[in-house]
Amino acid sequence: MTDVPGDRPSTDVPKGDVIQILLFLAIAVSITLLFFNLLLSPNRGRDHAEYRLAENGVLDLTGWNFEDHGPVPLNGEWEFYPNQLLGVHDQFSDTQFTHVPGRWSMVDTMNNQGFATYRLRVRTDSHETLFALRNFTVSTAFRLFINGQPVVSAGRVSEDEQEAESEFHTLLTPLPSLMGEREYEIVLQVSNWDYRTGGPWRQFWFGPYENLHRWVWSAHAKNIMLLAALSMMGLFFLGLFLLRKRDTHYLFLSLLSILLALRPLFSINYLITYILPGIPFDLMIRIEYLALFLAVQSAAFYFSSIYRDLFCSVQLKFMSIVTSLFILLVVLFPPVVFTHSIYLYYVFSLYVYVYLIGVIVRAYRLRITGSSLMLLGGLIFIVTILNDYLFFTFSWKTESFVEVGMLFFIFIQAFALSQRLTVAFHQVQDLSENLSDLNQHLEEEVEKRAEELKSVYDSMKNLEWIRVAEEERKRVGRDLHDSLGQSVHALELLGASLGQVETLPQDVKRKIDTIFELNKDIKKNLYTILGELYPVGIGSRGLLAAVEQYAADMMALHDLSIDVVCPVRDIMVDAVLADDVYHIVREGVLNAIRHSSVGWIEVAILLQEYRLTVRVINDGVKDENGEPPAAPVIGGHGTSIMTYRAESHGGSFSYGYSGKNNYTIEAILPIPGRTRKEV
């Protein structure tokens, strides 16, 4: 949870720790369930005795030791008079028998809405003990008389639907006026007009007041503890969400906790009737159903926010739509209508929980962090929910434990949260240490970066100078060629024409010849200078001719051999590219001569489809043992110039040893206007 529990970091709980945690939680669950069973039992700590059942409207408790065995439930066959409200002085005729606790929907002679009377005779030994009667919810209004005296009631019992008032209320009623009686005639009048079915759903308990009083307050204490614990956890997770709103799983977990915290108030004992005695029955039932429906949907939202990659969005939308329909049913219709939806909702919620367990199992198989604990908590929660389904559908004589299951689920979530927070704390601590180390070396790093930036700046400035010098060199070459070249050529033509004049004196002809020879020397020197300033294109020599001429000049000046390899003699490239290729060759040859004792150099100019490859290879440098040096012999200003020339055309430049004694520089330059498909 996304720090979401569905993340997959390698910080899961070690396997040994997981086993210990699971063992601890299993023991804790067992002890807690046992504790609550004892807490909710009116006869905890007493010897077990099989309860006696009423037969034909009579419950014989003679010989029952209340001190040893405690209170008894008034279960069994009660006299039943459907569609009649009989008082203690009325004639009870046409007697039927039905089982209590029981619902009218299980009685053939009774509708779900209506009224009826029950009667039970309880026979006991003579006791001076103060007895009491403990009742749970009776659907949905009742009056109870013992030996003709009104004892307890809830709501208003009436044969008329308009006059009846419904109320759920659980009470403990002492019977001081009946002390010493040996037989108790219990008459129970019930009416229901506002719920899906009527009748005494839950059992009545009869026994010593002290025992029942302790049991009632133990049950209230249990409900209050669950209410407080779930409410505090809900507020805690709500606070986490407000601090980190991107983690929506905290919000849904908070809603789930708060909604389940409402159950002790609005189910079974209905504590809300002690806090707000006048709360309308209609409102109370609506809150009970809405809390149940929203709790299931909150659980779906919670797991979908944790396992986003595993939870199908279509399933979530389906669950949301179905839940919305159930909520609309509760909002728009009276309880007598919407309470029938509970069985259908049990089926739907069972589908939701099975799907959620499937998602958690998939997460566990993928070893997602916290999934093992989530699976354990989810299973405990689901088991308690199934238990409550059986309890509220009267299919199993058990108690409600869903709040206990939720409490364990929340505790497990808190443990998983503490695990994730611990991991996050360690990560923050490591980051803090790394930042501390970085701060210690920050000044050195800044100085280092400053030196690198200065070096890059100097290189860029040098390259800019190179570019300006290249432009200036080309301009001077063009100006010399266009101005001085034309003057020398004109002087050559003038001298040739004067030499053909026969009438000139001999001394004048000798001077003209001398001027003509000097002009030849000037022209030769001029073109030599132009060849250096603007080597390619001057005199229409072309790239290859310029390179061959330069190689011949270097061989004449130095005792070495220079081979020029160019399979394609007629290389047609623009003047700027040709000029840069020439200077790359020139710089490569000069570097080899300056920095080594070479005896052989090869210059290769290769036309390869869309690019021109230039290589200058020499026979390297040997140390005293005849081995090449460890460090390259090329670098510095010359390397920067050649790199600049290659990269200015979008190409690349490299250099290094190409063999034991050979050293190679290579420039690859794309030819403008050509593609890979052209040859």
Side-chain angles (χ1 to χ4, degrees), residues 32-204:
T32 303
L33 292 178
L34 179 62
F35 169 75
F36 276 111
N37 267 317
L38 293 176
L39 188 66
L40 295 173
S41 173
N43 295 324
R44 65 185 188 281
R46 300 180 180 275
D47 295 336
H48 173 72
E50 185 175 353
Y51 295 126
R52 299 177 184 179
L53 297 177
E55 296 180 359
N56 297 323
V58 177
L59 177 60
D60 188 1
L61 295 179
T62 56
W64 181 267
N65 191 330
F66 286 96
E67 293 183 1
D68 293 337
H69 305 315
V72 295
L74 303 181
N75 295 348
E77 292 180 345
W78 288 44
E79 294 180 12
F80 182 56
Y81 302 92
N83 303 312
Q84 301 180 63
L85 290 181
L86 301 176
V88 293
H89 302 296
D90 293 333
Q91 181 69 32
F92 288 82
S93 59
D94 298 329
T95 302
Q96 301 180 23
F97 296 97
T98 188
H99 193 275
V100 174
R103 294 163 292 163
W104 289 349
S105 59
M106 302 175 64
V107 180
D108 295 335
T109 59
M110 191 69 197
N111 297 322
N112 286 325
Q113 284 74 45
F115 48 91
T117 303
Y118 297 80
R119 187 171 70 165
L120 176 69
R121 294 182 177 90
V122 181
R123 296 170 182 170
T124 67
D125 298 323
S126 179
H127 291 277
E128 296 301 324
T129 304
L130 175 61
F131 284 99
L133 184 71
R134 163 70 161 159
N135 73 276
F136 288 91
T137 54
V138 178
S139 181
T140 54
F142 76 95
R143 286 196 302 259
L144 189 141
F145 304 85
I146 300 181
N147 292 347
Q149 301 179 21
V151 173
V152 62
S153 66
R156 179 185 297 173
V157 180
S158 176
E159 298 177 357
D160 187 352
E161 179 179 354
Q162 302 301 323
E163 295 181 0
E165 292 183 5
S166 298
E167 181 182 3
F168 280 167
H169 203 21
T170 61
L171 297 167
L172 174 63
T173 307
L175 306 172
S177 62
L178 300 175
M179 290 181 62
E181 296 286 345
R182 300 176 60 90
E183 183 170 323
Y184 301 86
E185 182 188 45
I186 301 174
V187 176
L188 175 66
Q189 298 177 346
V190 180
S191 68
N192 171 52
W193 302 102
D194 296 321
Y195 212 73
R196 66 177 182 271
T197 187
W201 295 353
R202 306 297 176 192
Q203 54 197 3
F204 292 87

Side-chain angles (χ1 to χ4, degrees), residues 23 47 50 82 131 173 179 271 324 358 385 398 416 429 482 490 547 575:
L23 181 61
D47 295 336
E50 185 175 353
F131 284 99
T173 307
M179 290 181 62
L271 289 181
S324 299
I385 289 173
T398 178
Q429 191 175 28
D482 295 339
V547 171

